[in-house]
Amino acid sequence: MEQPVTAGRATRSYGAEPEALEALVGPSLTARVTLDEHGIVTGWNAGAERLLGYPARQVTGRRAADLLAEPIPVRGGLPTLAELPRWNGDVALRHRDGRKLTVGIIAHHRPPGADGPAWLVVSALTDRQPPAGLDESLVSWSFAQSPCCALAIYDTRLRLRRANADMERATALTEEEMRGLRVSEISDSDAGRRAEHDMARVLRTGEPEYEENYLRAPGESHEHAWSVFLSALRDHEGTIRGVCLSAHDMTEQFWARKRLQLIAEAGRRIGSTLDVTRTAQELTDVTVPALADFVSVDLLAALDDVAEPPERAAPVEGPLLLRRAALRSVTPGAPESAVPAGAVDAYPAGSMPFESVRTGRPALHETTDPAFSAWLARDPARAARVRAFGIHSAMTVPLAARGTTLGVAFFVRYRNQEPFRHDDLVLAGELVARAAVSIDNARRYTRERATAVTLQRSLLPQRLPRQAAVEVASRYLPAGGHAGVGGDWFDVIPLSGARVALVVGDVVGHGLVASATMGRLRTAVRTLADIDLPCDELLTHLDDLVARLNTEEDPEEDTEDSGAGGGATGPARPTGDVGATCLYAVYDPVTRHCCFAGAGHPVPAVVSPEGGVELVGLPTAPPLGVSGLPYESTEVVVPEGSLLALYTNGLVETPDRDLDTGVDRLREALGRPAPSLDALCDTVLADLLPPRPADDVALLIARTRALDARQVATWAVPADPSAVAQTRKDVVAQMERWGLSDAVFVTELVVSELVTNAIRHAEPPVQLRLIHDTNLICEVSDGGTTAPHLRRARTYDEGGRGLLLVAQLTERWGTRQSSTGKTIWAEQSLTPA
C-alpha cells in the first residue's frame, strides 16, 4: 500500500537527488515509451514491459505500429498525429502472449530541435489501485488543509457545514464554532450580508458570483482584501446541493495596486504648474487621505533670500529654519498642525525634520521612539497636539532634486490606526522625489521669471513724462502661464512743438532674451523719435536695426573660429531670429492730427467724445526685420477729448479666442463710460483677460487735448535782415498779451538769433511760431535742408555764438526736417528756477 511521506524542506534544484525522486514516484507504475519522428521505439521502461510483456531489448528499434492490435481511431477532421502537440485516447495493443489490451495513453509531441526523442508516450498501470477510501480521504484532507485560500461549504439553507484551516484563521473561529451558522452571523458586517445575498443568487441561478471585500479579523490591526468566489455544488444528477465559498487573501496585491494607482495619480496631478506653493499643495492633496491623515511640505527658509539652496541644508548645530509651503489634513482646518501655512518654524538638532534634512534619508517614527519623545519634550505645543489627536506614527522624507535638498515632507497618521510600514516609506519617497523635481523646476522658473520681470519693468517707463498733449494711463501684465515674461513694451515720448509720441511694441519670444531685446528696441525708438523722424521713416529705420540684430556675429563662434584656425572669420552668422511688432503714433495738439504707422501690430482704436469706437485703418505691413521694405503711415483728425487705445496682441488674442472676437470685446469695453482712464484700463483688462494670461499684455490709453488758437501765434517773416526788428516787437507784444513779461528778455534774444540765422543761412519762406503751453516753445521754419550745429567760437570770431546762447538760455532745443524744409525749435521753462 501507499506509504505516508514525512514533510521535509523542499529543494529548488530539479536535478537534486534523482535516485530519491525515482524511488518516491515509482517509475514502474507508469508505462513510458519514447519514439523518434519515424515512429521507431527509442525507449522502453519497466512499466511498459509489465504492461505488454516485452523486454526493452525486443522492442527498441522496432516500429511502434507493430504493437498495435488495431489502427488508432482518428476522428474525421483531425490533422495527422504528426501535426498535433499532444494526443490522448484509447489504443488497442497486442500483448506478447497474444492478448489484446485496450489502454488509455497520452502521447506528447516534442517540438523540433528539443533535446530527447520526438514522442513521449505514457500510460498509467491500472493494476495498482490505491487502498479503499484513500481518494476520499485525500479530498477531505486537501479541503481542510488547503493553503491557497479560505474555503467554506454551505448547505441549501446557507448554513455552514465545513470550513478549512485558512477560513478558521480568517474568522478567528473554529469549524465547530461556525457549523450551522449563516455567513452574516459569522461576520456581522456589510461584506457578510452581501455575501449571503450572493449565495442565495447562486442557489437560485446556479451561476457563480464574484466580489471583493475588506475585513479586519478579530485581534488584527489592519484590514485584509479578499477576493471571494461563490459557486454551486451539484450532485451527479446536476441538482444543487450547496454553495462553496472560496476567499483568496489579496491584501498584498491590493496594496501594491493601490500604490501603483497613487503613483500614477501623482504623475498626473503633481507639477501641473510652475508655481512652488501650488506644486507643494498638489503633493499633499494626492497623499491625504490615501497615504496619511496629515501631510505638510516645509521648504528651507534660506530659499527665500538666495538664488540657490545653501551647500549645507541643515546647520551643524541647529536650528533648522523651514517655511511651511503647504499642508493638508483629513480634519477640516488642519488643527493638528503646529505651524500654519506660510509661517517659518525652527527645528532643533535631533528633531525628525532636522535629521532627515541632515542625512538626506527618509525615516519612520513611532511616538514612543526616544528621539520623538525627546523632541516633543522640548516642544509642549506640538506635544499637546500629538496627545489630543492620538498621533501614533510619522514619516519624514527629504525633498531633494539634482543633488540639492530643498526641504522635508512630514506624514502623520492618527485616524488610520495602522502604523506606517516600510512599504509606505518607499511609496512616500517615490512621491516626494517626483514632487521635489517639480518644485525645483518651479523654483528655478520663478527665479528666472522674477529676474525677467524685474529687467522688463526696469526697461519700461517708471513714470510717464509730463506733457500737455494727452492724458495717459497704462497697464503692463506679464504672462501668468508657462511661457514666461515676454517682450511687450510701451512708451510716451514728448516731442517738439508740444507733440507727443505713443509707442507700443511686442518682441517675439519670452524670457530674458526677449526682455533684453525689448530694451534695445525701446532705446532705439526713443533715439529715433528724438531726431523727430516721421512715423513711417522711424519704423523703416527700426526695421533695419532688427534686421542687423538678426545677423550679428556670435562671439562664442568667433572665439572658436580664431582658436581653431587663427585666420579671418567667415561671414556673420545669425544668432537667432529677432522679430517684433510695433505701433508708432504722433499726436499734434495744435493741429489735432494724429499720425499712425504700424509694423505687423494690432491696429489702434479711437474712441470719440460721444463714445463711438472705431479702428484706424492702417496699411498692411509685416513685422520688423522681415521685409526690408519702407513702411507707410496714416494721418487722421482726432477731436479733442478722444481716446487713443494702443495695445499688444496678448490683450485680444488668447488660446481659446480668435483675434476678431477679442477686438470686438475690446471695442465694447472701450465704449463703456468710466470715471477715469485708470478705471477704464482696469475694466478692459477685467473684461478681456483670464486670471492667468497666457501672454504678456501692454495697454496704453491716451485722452487727447487741444491747444486753443489763442495759445499759438504765427508770423511770416520776410527774407530781409531789417525784418528782424519788427519781428522782435511782434513777439514782445504777444508775450505781454500772454502775461509772460518775465520771459520777454530771453524770448526776444532767442527769436532774434533764430530768425537772423534763417534769413542769413537758409532759404525762404521763413516762419516764426510761438506756442504757449506749460512751457514756451519758439519755432522758426525755413525752406533749407541744412541743419545747424553748435560750435565753439574763437575769441576774435564775429559769429558762431548764436546757437550757443540759445542752448544756454533754453531748457532744450533741436531741429526737425519736413517735406518743405526744416524747423529749428527751442523750449524754455516758464517755472521759476
Side-chain angles (χ1 to χ4, degrees):
M1 63 181 293
E2 296 287 344
Q3 298 297 320
V5 179
T6 302
R9 186 173 61 185
T11 176
R12 292 185 180 275
S13 175
Y14 295 127
E17 305 175 358
E19 297 83 0
L21 179 61
E22 290 294 317
L24 176 65
V25 301
S28 61
L29 298 180
T30 303
R32 294 169 60 93
V33 179
T34 58
L35 311 176
D36 63 14
E37 285 289 355
H38 304 289
I40 304 301
V41 177
T42 59
W44 189 270
N45 77 336
E49 182 177 353
R50 292 182 57 196
L51 178 63
L52 296 181
Y54 295 100
R57 65 178 180 277
Q58 294 183 0
V59 180
T60 304
R62 292 177 52 187
R63 293 172 61 250
D66 296 340
L67 301 176
L68 296 175
E70 296 176 0
I72 296 177
V74 179
R75 292 185 298 273
L78 285 177
T80 61
L81 293 180
E83 298 176 0
L84 295 175
R86 190 185 71 183
W87 184 87
N88 63 286
D90 293 336
V91 176
L93 301 176
R94 185 68 65 185
H95 194 273
R96 183 182 181 186
D97 61 11
R99 291 180 292 118
K100 184 175 77 170
L101 299 177
T102 300
V103 296
I105 69 169
I106 299 175
H108 300 278
H109 192 186
R110 293 168 175 172
D115 295 337
W119 287 88
L120 170 64
V121 182
V122 295
S123 177
L125 299 182
T126 57
D127 58 344
R128 293 292 304 272
Q129 294 292 340
L134 179 59
D135 286 350
E136 290 75 10
S137 297
L138 289 174
V139 170
S140 177
W141 296 335
S142 68
F143 171 83
Q145 303 171 24
S146 174
C148 65
C149 60
L151 291 172
I153 295 176
Y154 292 81
D155 58 22
T156 54
R157 308 291 294 218
L158 300 184
R159 304 285 175 169
L160 186 138
R161 309 310 306 168
R162 296 291 308 274
N164 72 346
D166 274 5
M167 181 62 74
E168 291 178 332
R169 282 190 292 271
T171 59
L173 295 169
T174 65
E175 180 185 66
E176 188 62 30
E177 292 170 332
M178 293 185 288
R179 183 174 289 116
L181 295 178
R182 298 160 52 190
V183 65
S184 59
E185 297 167 341
I186 298 171
S187 174
D188 185 20
S189 63
D190 289 339
R193 286 182 281 274
R194 286 197 306 271
E196 192 167 62
H197 284 288
D198 292 341
M199 292 167 68
R201 190 179 302 111
V202 171
L203 286 177
R204 185 173 63 255
T205 65
E207 298 295 328
E209 295 284 338
Y210 169 80
E211 69 170 13
E212 292 184 1
N213 56 45
Y214 312 96
L215 295 171
R216 179 184 290 111
E220 291 192 348
S221 61
H222 63 278
E223 289 184 340
H224 286 258
W226 296 97
S227 177
V228 179
F229 293 87
L230 301 169
S231 56
L233 298 177
R234 304 174 187 270
D235 60 17
H236 295 296
E237 298 177 353
T239 303
I240 297 177
R241 298 297 185 180
V243 178
C244 176
L245 183 153
S246 61
H248 297 259
D249 190 346
M250 308 294 290
T251 304
E252 291 301 323
Q253 296 90 327
F254 169 78
W255 285 114
R257 186 168 68 246
K258 295 286 286 185
R259 293 186 183 100
L260 289 176
Q261 291 173 349
L262 189 58
I263 291 174
E265 184 180 5
R268 290 191 302 269
R269 295 175 58 183
I270 297 177
S272 62
T273 67
L274 286 172
D275 182 89
V276 173
T277 303
R278 176 78 175 273
T279 304
Q281 188 63 50
E282 288 169 346
L283 172 62
T284 64
D285 292 344
V286 167
T287 51
V288 175
L291 181 60
D293 297 325
F294 171 82
V295 176
S296 67
V297 177
D298 300 334
L299 301 180
L300 297 178
L303 295 177
D304 297 343
D305 304 320
V306 296
E308 290 294 335
E311 294 183 4
R312 184 188 295 274
V316 177
E317 298 180 356
L320 173 65
L321 298 181
L322 295 174
R323 182 180 299 279
R324 182 138 297 176
L327 57 86
R328 186 175 178 85
S329 170
V330 294
T331 305
E336 68 271 45
S337 176
V339 182
V344 176
D345 197 16
Y347 294 87
S351 63
M352 297 183 301
F354 183 97
E355 293 303 318
S356 277
V357 172
R358 182 182 65 82
T359 62
R361 293 192 297 269
L364 279 172
H365 307 276
E366 302 290 336
T367 54
T368 55
D369 294 345
F372 204 147
S373 300
W375 177 34
L376 295 180
R378 289 179 287 176
D379 193 339
R382 186 172 272 109
R385 285 177 168 82
V386 170
R387 291 190 298 270
F389 288 91
I391 295 173
H392 58 83
S393 184
M395 296 188 295
T396 52
V397 183
L399 285 110
R402 301 177 177 91
T404 302
T405 301
L406 305 174
V408 64
F410 195 56
F411 299 81
V412 166
R413 278 183 181 173
Y414 57 88
R415 183 175 296 179
N416 185 344
Q417 295 303 311
E418 183 179 356
F420 287 119
R421 297 182 296 172
H422 179 71
D423 289 344
D424 298 317
L425 187 65
V426 173
L427 175 61
E430 173 68 22
L431 299 176
V432 171
R434 289 170 177 254
V437 173
S438 298
I439 289 174
D440 190 50
N441 289 340
R443 183 185 62 83
R444 291 169 181 265
Y445 165 78
T446 301
R447 182 188 63 198
E448 180 176 344
R449 184 174 184 275
T451 303
V453 169
T454 302
L455 172 63
Q456 187 169 35
R457 290 193 181 277
S458 68
L459 296 174
L460 291 172
Q462 300 305 304
R463 25 178 210 276
L464 299 177
R466 294 177 57 191
Q467 41 75 42
V470 291
E471 176 192 357
V472 180
S474 63
R475 292 292 184 272
Y476 168 74
L477 292 179
H482 293 187
V485 177
D488 293 17
W489 91 91
F490 64 88
D491 211 344
V492 178
I493 308 171
L495 301 177
S496 63
R499 298 170 303 141
V500 65
L502 307 175
V503 191
V504 169
D506 184 3
V507 175
V508 175
H510 294 86
L512 290 174
V513 174
S515 296
T517 303
M518 177 271 287
R520 301 171 75 176
L521 295 184
R522 177 173 177 259
T523 302
V525 170
R526 293 187 71 89
T527 302
L528 294 172
D530 193 55
I531 60 177
D532 266 319
L533 286 180
C535 295
D536 49 357
E537 291 187 27
L538 184 142
L539 287 187
T540 301
H541 283 281
L542 198 61
D543 178 64
D544 293 338
L545 172 63
V546 174
R548 285 195 299 272
L549 291 178
N550 276 327
T551 56
E552 282 185 342
E553 290 185 349
D554 189 337
E556 295 183 2
E557 292 185 358
D558 292 344
T559 302
E560 294 172 358
D561 292 343
S562 60
T569 61
R573 301 177 184 176
T575 59
D577 291 336
V578 177
T581 64
C582 184
L583 178 65
Y584 185 76
V586 174
Y587 173 68
D588 188 342
V590 177
T591 64
R592 299 179 181 84
H593 285 199
C594 188
C595 177
F596 295 95
H601 201 84
V603 296
V606 177
V607 184
S608 67
E610 295 76 23
V613 183
E614 297 294 336
L615 300 179
V616 179
L618 297 183
T620 302
L624 298 172
V626 175
S627 67
L629 298 176
Y631 288 88
E632 300 179 26
S633 61
T634 298
E635 190 166 300
V636 297
V637 178
V638 181
E640 182 179 6
S642 299
L643 299 182
L644 307 178
L646 288 69
Y647 51 91
T648 56
N649 65 337
L651 179 66
V652 293
E653 192 172 9
T654 63
D656 57 349
R657 184 181 66 209
D658 59 30
L659 180 61
D660 292 338
T661 303
V663 171
D664 290 340
R665 291 183 59 180
L666 173 63
R667 295 177 65 177
E668 293 176 5
L670 290 173
R672 287 199 289 270
S676 66
L677 292 185
D678 284 319
L680 180 59
C681 286
D682 294 337
T683 298
V684 169
L685 296 183
D687 285 357
L688 273 74
L689 295 181
R692 297 173 63 86
D695 195 7
D696 283 22
V697 175
L699 173 64
L700 185 63
I701 299 180
R703 177 178 284 119
T704 62
R705 296 168 177 164
L707 293 181
D708 190 89
R710 292 171 295 180
Q711 294 177 268
V712 181
T714 306
W715 298 273
V717 180
D720 184 350
S722 62
V724 176
Q726 182 60 42
T727 302
R728 285 199 299 266
K729 292 180 181 180
D730 295 338
V731 167
V732 171
Q734 184 64 49
M735 295 289 287
E736 295 291 342
R737 286 192 292 271
W738 282 341
L740 302 177
S741 302
D742 294 340
V744 167
F745 174 75
V746 173
T747 305
E748 186 178 7
L749 181 58
V750 169
V751 169
S752 179
E753 290 295 334
L754 295 183
V755 171
T756 300
N757 284 344
I759 293 174
R760 285 184 178 181
H761 305 294
E763 299 177 3
V766 178
Q767 184 187 70
L768 170 65
R769 185 170 72 163
L770 293 183
I771 301 175
H772 178 205
D773 192 18
T774 55
N775 291 342
L776 181 64
I777 302 170
C778 175
E779 296 183 342
V780 176
S781 303
D782 58 59
T785 58
T786 304
H789 60 280
L790 286 174
R791 64 182 180 89
R792 185 175 297 277
R794 292 188 293 271
T795 303
Y796 299 104
D797 287 350
E798 295 182 0
R801 297 177 178 85
L803 281 181
L804 182 60
L805 286 173
V806 172
Q808 293 295 320
L809 294 174
T810 60
E811 193 170 88
R812 60 193 185 112
W813 75 279
T815 179
R816 65 176 182 267
Q817 299 290 329
S818 67
S819 59
T820 58
K822 67 178 183 297
T823 298
I824 309 299
W825 57 270
E827 186 174 326
Q828 55 180 308
S829 174
L830 298 179
T831 304

